Amino acid sequence: MMTDVLVAHSTEVEKADFYKKTYLHVALSILAFIGVETVLLKTVPVEVIAMMFQGRLTWLLIIGVFWLASILASKWSLSQSKSTQYLGLGFYILLEAVIFMPLLFIATNMAGGANVIFQAATLTIAMFAGISAVAFTSKRDFSF
């Protein structure tokens, strides 16, 4: 497959290969996020997580650092080197896990929190599967 051609201008076989690789990368990235988030929630002390959202300007600082770091991750993802692109993806997964850590901590410590997270994950998987099924079976071109 030529890398300097838009997917819309590729052959059907090349498009199918591209879509398979894209879905694989998305699925593996989500699994990596779940793994990193689980490790963070089990290893980071509760006091540190609480500090992330209790300070007056702490959350603003965290969002600012996230913004600057995501610019770096985006720059790495646009590199010509595959290893640098994967480094950018991995760094961004780590950033997202850190941002989600206090949100999931709050959600799990509320009444029925673990159940709510499971329900949200189930609904997300069902919606993703439904949208994917429509995209793959409808024979419509969803490229815009």
Side-chain angles (χ1 to χ4, degrees):
M1 183 169 154
M2 295 176 54
T3 57
D4 60 344
V5 176
L6 293 175
V7 175
H9 299 140
S10 300
T11 66
E12 293 301 317
V13 172
E14 291 171 332
K15 285 181 188 179
D17 186 47
F18 174 80
Y19 295 143
K20 285 178 187 175
K21 288 180 182 178
T22 300
Y23 267 80
L24 178 65
H25 279 88
V26 169
L28 292 176
S29 296
I30 291 170
L31 288 175
F33 170 79
I34 292 168
V36 171
E37 192 68 51
T38 301
V39 168
L40 286 176
L41 286 171
K42 292 190 181 294
T43 59
V44 175
V46 173
E47 296 81 23
V48 174
I49 297 173
M51 183 187 69
M52 290 177 74
F53 58 86
Q54 286 181 345
R56 189 176 160 133
L57 296 175
T58 308
W59 192 245
L60 182 63
L61 177 66
I62 290 170
I63 294 296
V65 170
F66 173 79
W67 172 63
L68 292 173
S70 67
I71 291 172
L72 178 63
S74 180
K75 182 178 178 179
W76 286 346
S77 71
L78 296 173
S79 171
Q80 294 297 316
S81 165
K82 272 191 179 180
S83 60
T84 306
Q85 291 174 354
Y86 283 119
L87 178 66
L89 176 62
F91 186 55
Y92 196 75
I93 289 169
L94 178 64
L95 288 172
E96 287 290 335
V98 169
I99 287 290
F100 271 80
M101 190 170 46
L103 303 172
L104 290 173
F105 176 77
I106 292 169
T108 55
N109 289 315
M110 298 191 80
N115 190 33
V116 169
I117 292 174
F118 178 75
Q119 288 173 355
T122 303
L123 182 61
T124 301
I125 289 169
M127 295 295 288
F128 178 74
I131 290 170
S132 298
V134 168
F136 283 120
T137 60
S138 69
K139 306 292 185 199
R140 288 202 48 202
D141 184 7
F142 285 98
S143 59
F144 299 106

